[in-house]
Amino acid sequence: MNKPITKYRIDEYLFSLNVRQYRKAMLLLPNLLGISLNTFHNYRKILLEESKDIPYEKVVLMEHLFEFEQGTLAYQNPTSGSLKALHLDQ
């Protein structure tokens, strides 16, 4: 049975911690993000194919807290060409 792929790498970071660090992180993270523990668990469970998203300010804060490079919390980041490349002039 394949495990569903989540949209964000939150569990990847949390599971890299030892048990003591994990427990402390689970107490601190919701408070640091200004959300409830249930909301944090919901963020962790968002699947790749879902249209749900985490608010941008929370993503940036988690990237900073997890020491991830900017824009790398999500497994897939949307890519697009520039507006000029889309030939808006024509």
Side-chain angles (χ1 to χ4, degrees):
M1 183 172 160
N2 293 338
K3 183 180 173 188
I5 299 173
T6 56
K7 191 179 278 191
Y8 298 97
R9 297 171 45 207
I10 299 169
D11 282 343
E12 179 183 319
Y13 174 77
L14 291 174
F15 294 155
S16 71
L17 303 174
N18 65 37
V19 173
R20 179 176 281 165
Q21 292 169 332
Y22 178 87
R23 288 180 183 160
K24 186 93 170 184
M26 293 306 296
L27 292 173
L28 291 174
L29 281 168
N31 292 329
L32 292 171
L33 295 169
I35 58 175
S36 71
L37 182 59
N38 276 348
T39 300
F40 182 69
H41 284 304
N42 289 338
Y43 288 174
R44 292 175 64 185
K45 294 183 210 173
I46 297 173
L47 298 178
L48 191 58
E49 63 273 357
E50 291 184 271
S51 62
K52 298 178 196 172
D53 276 316
I54 299 173
Y56 179 74
E57 64 187 38
K58 307 296 184 194
V59 170
V60 171
L61 184 54
M62 279 191 279
E63 286 172 343
H64 182 71
L65 292 169
F66 298 168
E67 297 177 340
F68 286 170
E69 292 291 322
Q70 186 176 3
T72 61
L73 184 65
Y75 276 110
Q76 288 185 336
N77 290 312
T79 57
S80 176
S82 69
L83 287 174
K84 290 181 181 179
L86 296 173
H87 303 287
L88 290 180
D89 296 335
Q90 300 172 354

